[in-house]
Amino acid sequence: MPPFLHIESMSKWYGQVIALNDIDFESDVPILGLLGPNGAGKSSLLKLLVGLSRPSRGKVEVFGLQPWQNHDLLAGLGYTPEHHKLYDRLTPIQFVSLLLQLSGYLSETAYDMAARAIEQLALGEKKDAPIHTLSHGMRQRVKLAQAIAHHPSWLVLDEPLTGMDPLGRNMTIEMVRRMAAEGTRVIVSSHVLHELEALTSDILLLNRGRLLAQGSVAEIRELIDEHPHRILIKSENIRSLGRELAGYDYVKRIEFEPGHLVVETDRPDDFYTMIGELAAGDDFIVHSMISLDDNLEAVFRYLVK
Amino acid sequence: MNTNQGQARVERLDYQPYDGPLEPLAGRFLVVAGHQLRLSRKDKWFRRLLWFSFFPLGIFAVMVIVQSKVEQIGNHGFNLWSPFWGAQIFSAILITYLCGRSTIGEDLRTGAASVYFARPVTLNGYLGGKWLSVFVPVLFVTLGPALLLISFRFAIEPGAGLLSFLRWLAGFLAASILLSAVMGAVMLAVSSLTRRARTAGFLWIGFIIGMSALANGLAKSFDDPIYTVISFTRASARLLAYLVEGKGSADMAAMDALSHIVWLVIGLGIVRFRIAAGKTRV
């Protein structure tokens, strides 16, 4: 049985722009998370997987088949693109029915399936409302409804949680996990680690078209924690605070700025514990603490050094 | 029911795996066409123009009656079909503007193209459906009134025999089909050049005017009417006059027909290239 995903020496370029560069990986997990900042190549990779474009070089296979113009493979696909503009003049039920009919379902069957999917995503009251009247979060749910309505064997979700309200987020997460448990293979992309963390423990890390890392969320977190963290601290007496902090071996660097200092540490958990104890005492007044590197951009900068 | 992947409780989704019939891949273009026509139908101006295109029918019906009286007293009738066809071409241009300007552009603007092509739909099926969604309304506003008028004329004109009726029918059928086909193709091409329906509409009108101006200008400059075939609307009018009234030459009629085919190929070629080249795939 071929693996769910097999990508071999794959590159994709558009003219002079290299969107993906020499990607190699194989995956057979139920839910695979694709993590990367904006412009990392996540959407480009997903478009290759769903047959919207072809690789410039190398091979892309899904269940051992190449997706490009493979209608049998696409018949089992549920795909939500990143952009949220849909047919504004259609209602959710019309939109989902249309796409089901494009998958070959007869119109009455398509309508019933669409209605069921819309109910499952708590859009029943809005099923006959024009899409342009719906909120961003509801539009995300409409997108998801068209992807899941035909019980696909594989799901590709490009930033599905962006802009969703908390109810929609929980619903999406539960639905994806349930579908994966029932055998649907899922690829979901995001630029926010904790979003993917709620869905899966298997991550691909992309940046600037390159595959940086593949592993579990815990391993990615370790990568994040390994790189030096920079923390901005506002305090009344930054000089004496700085002197105090300099005594700890996990404080690697201290920069003094007017009204605040920036500390660099390679053990952020220990640092936060320590600074909390200092702030609780009488010697130092800490007004605020901001992590300057608690984001993926910093991780990626670190990883590509 | 608990998933085995975590602690989230998931409500029963009530999925029912489908094992019923599926429409064949070859028929998906009808879904595309049906969807696009339903979108057009939502536009009130589109609906109004469909019926407005029958308005000249009343005027020309009166002319048919007058003509039949004139011929009864031995005088020659007057040219009827060419001005009628001119009026229908005008309606065709407008209906193409209304229903065709958002065919490809809307999909680009909304990103629906990416959702379309992630389904088992072929490029030809997609284009065929989009083209059909313009072809059908244009055929309706050209052939519909024509069928009524020729039937009316056949019914009331004493000299109009079955052969005349069949000639008119064949002529209008051919001219309508050719005109509808080429307008659909060219409009798709125009729509694929921009993501804004309004811009596509302006481009379409500008193209029709520019094409006619160029054709007329070249014909006058070189003093040769052959250059008027550049304009498929001019070619359509002349082709109909030949088919229905016997005016003009067979060679010129062949060139007029060829003009339609060339524009059809150009239009479909442009839109296919735009999509296949990835420029229009979102």
Side-chain angles (χ1 to χ4, degrees):
Chain A
M1 183 78 175
F4 170 42
L5 293 177
H6 174 75
I7 296 185
E8 191 179 307
S9 304
M10 189 275 291
S11 298
K12 175 69 182 176
W13 53 82
Y14 301 97
Q16 302 291 328
V17 178
I18 301 175
L20 294 163
N21 195 350
D22 203 27
I23 306 285
D24 262 294
F25 77 88
E26 194 170 284
S27 176
D28 211 13
V29 297
I31 305 177
L32 179 67
L34 196 57
L35 183 65
N38 293 328
K42 302 189 300 295
S43 294
S44 297
L45 179 58
L46 295 184
K47 284 173 189 171
L48 286 164
L49 294 176
V50 302
L52 286 176
S53 65
R54 278 185 293 190
S56 304
R57 191 186 67 185
K59 193 193 290 187
V60 172
E61 287 179 352
V62 178
F63 296 122
L65 303 169
Q66 296 193 13
W68 176 257
Q69 293 184 341
N70 190 326
H71 299 119
D72 291 332
L73 189 60
L74 294 182
L77 166 67
Y79 170 58
T80 63
E82 181 184 11
H83 46 76
H84 59 272
K85 289 183 182 174
L86 303 171
Y87 274 114
D88 291 352
R89 288 179 287 168
L90 294 183
T91 64
I93 191 81
Q94 288 172 339
F95 180 69
V96 179
S97 295
L98 165 68
L99 293 171
L100 285 170
Q101 287 178 61
L102 285 177
S103 291
Y105 296 92
L106 305 179
S107 61
E108 276 186 24
T109 307
Y111 187 90
D112 292 340
M113 292 166 76
R116 231 178 0 250
I118 284 168
E119 283 294 329
Q120 284 156 8
L121 284 154
L123 284 169
E125 287 183 3
K126 299 286 186 180
K127 71 176 174 63
D128 294 315
I131 288 175
H132 69 83
T133 65
L134 303 183
S135 65
H136 186 171
M138 284 184 177
R139 289 178 185 226
Q140 289 284 77
R141 283 193 250 166
V142 173
K143 271 199 299 183
L144 193 57
Q146 62 82 24
I148 60 135
H150 56 300
H151 200 59
S153 53
W154 57 302
L155 260 182
V156 176
L157 310 174
D158 198 346
E159 307 263 3
L161 301 178
T162 303
M164 267 205 186
D165 51 87
L167 173 65
R169 288 165 65 90
N170 290 341
M171 199 178 304
T172 301
I173 290 169
E174 286 190 11
M175 178 167 288
V176 168
R177 292 170 73 176
R178 166 59 188 267
M179 291 181 73
E182 288 182 345
T184 298
R185 297 305 177 93
V186 182
I187 309 161
V188 55
S189 81
S190 177
H191 59 276
V192 182
L193 180 58
H194 70 78
E195 280 186 357
L196 290 181
E197 218 172 342
L199 283 164
T200 180
S201 59
D202 298 286
I203 301 282
L204 280 180
L205 195 57
L206 272 184
N207 187 41
R208 293 185 185 179
R210 285 197 174 274
L211 183 60
L212 294 184
Q214 180 179 4
S216 67
V217 171
E219 289 163 355
I220 300 295
R221 276 235 174 267
E222 273 181 30
L223 270 175
I224 294 174
D225 290 343
E226 272 171 18
H227 91 282
H229 275 232
R230 296 170 66 242
I231 301 154
L232 186 150
I233 303 172
K234 287 186 180 176
S235 174
E236 292 286 334
N237 37 4
I238 57 173
R239 290 284 170 189
S240 25
L241 179 61
R243 265 199 305 275
E244 177 71 21
L245 294 177
Y248 293 89
D249 61 350
Y250 46 79
V251 172
K252 299 301 178 187
R253 184 187 168 96
I254 301 175
E255 293 174 7
F256 290 93
E257 302 284 344
H260 66 269
L261 47 79
V262 177
V263 177
E264 192 172 291
T265 173
D266 58 359
R267 281 156 54 188
D269 289 340
D270 291 339
F271 179 85
Y272 285 123
T273 304
M274 176 271 295
I275 197 73
E277 289 167 356
L278 281 181
D282 295 329
D283 297 330
F284 301 101
I285 299 172
V286 175
H287 292 303
S288 65
M289 245 182 350
I290 303 167
S291 173
L292 298 175
D293 287 337
D294 190 18
N295 56 56
L296 286 169
E297 295 289 343
V299 176
F300 301 139
R301 279 198 301 274
Y302 170 69
L303 287 174
V304 297
K305 275 182 191 170
Chain B
M1 180 188 301
N2 283 327
T3 67
N4 56 12
Q5 281 197 328
Q7 296 173 356
R9 284 195 72 83
V10 180
E11 295 300 321
R12 181 178 145 85
L13 294 177
D14 198 29
Y15 278 124
Q16 296 171 16
Y18 182 77
D19 58 359
L22 288 174
E23 294 280 8
L25 189 65
R28 306 283 162 84
F29 76 98
L30 290 173
V31 176
V32 177
H35 160 68
Q36 196 65 43
L37 284 168
R38 277 191 291 276
L39 282 180
S40 297
R41 204 179 59 190
K42 289 175 183 271
D43 184 347
K44 66 180 179 188
W45 290 107
F46 174 81
R47 295 194 302 272
R48 287 173 183 175
L49 186 59
L50 284 181
W51 301 118
F52 174 78
S53 66
F54 285 79
F55 178 71
L57 197 58
I59 299 169
F60 284 93
V62 171
M63 290 172 68
V64 166
I65 295 170
V66 170
Q67 173 149 309
S68 69
K69 301 291 184 200
V70 165
E71 285 179 345
Q72 274 177 9
I73 60 174
N75 286 339
H76 288 297
F78 41 80
N79 186 6
L80 185 66
W81 296 126
S82 292
F84 169 74
W85 191 238
Q88 299 318 112
I89 289 178
F90 178 73
S91 294
I93 291 170
L94 292 182
I95 206 78
T96 303
Y97 165 82
L98 287 172
C99 69
R101 59 190 169 155
S102 60
T103 43
I104 308 293
E106 179 88 350
D107 289 354
L108 300 179
R109 186 183 65 79
T110 62
S114 64
V115 183
Y116 264 119
F117 288 111
R119 299 273 163 167
V121 176
T122 63
L123 177 57
N124 288 338
Y126 173 80
L127 286 179
K130 293 290 184 177
W131 173 82
L132 198 62
S133 73
V134 181
F135 174 83
V136 168
V138 177
L139 191 68
F140 181 79
V141 303
T142 52
L143 191 59
L147 287 177
L148 289 175
L149 190 61
I150 62 176
S151 301
F152 180 73
R153 186 172 180 183
F154 175 68
I156 74 151
E157 196 168 293
L162 182 62
L163 279 178
S164 296
F165 174 78
L166 290 174
R167 181 178 183 174
W168 299 336
L169 180 63
F172 273 104
L173 202 59
S176 297
I177 289 173
L178 279 174
L179 185 67
S180 306
V182 76
M183 282 198 169
V186 175
M187 189 67 222
L188 282 193
V190 169
S191 182
S192 73
L193 297 175
T194 173
R195 296 183 178 221
R196 291 275 168 199
R198 186 177 295 181
T199 307
F202 288 145
L203 283 176
W204 167 248
I205 299 297
F207 168 77
I208 293 293
I209 295 170
M211 177 183 63
S212 295
L214 178 66
N216 289 338
L218 287 175
K220 279 185 182 169
S221 297
F222 294 100
D223 195 25
D224 190 344
I226 195 70
Y227 288 96
T228 54
V229 300
I230 292 173
S231 165
F232 61 77
T233 51
R234 287 286 303 270
S236 179
R238 197 168 41 226
L239 178 64
L240 182 96
Y242 174 78
L243 292 173
V244 171
E245 296 168 328
K247 290 182 179 172
S249 67
D251 290 342
M252 199 63 187
M255 291 301 294
D256 292 329
L258 185 63
S259 167
H260 287 76
I261 293 167
V262 168
W263 278 113
L264 178 71
V265 170
I266 290 173
L268 291 177
I270 288 173
V271 68
R272 207 174 195 290
F273 172 76
R274 290 281 293 167
I275 293 176
K279 292 185 176 61
T280 55
R281 278 196 173 188
V282 177

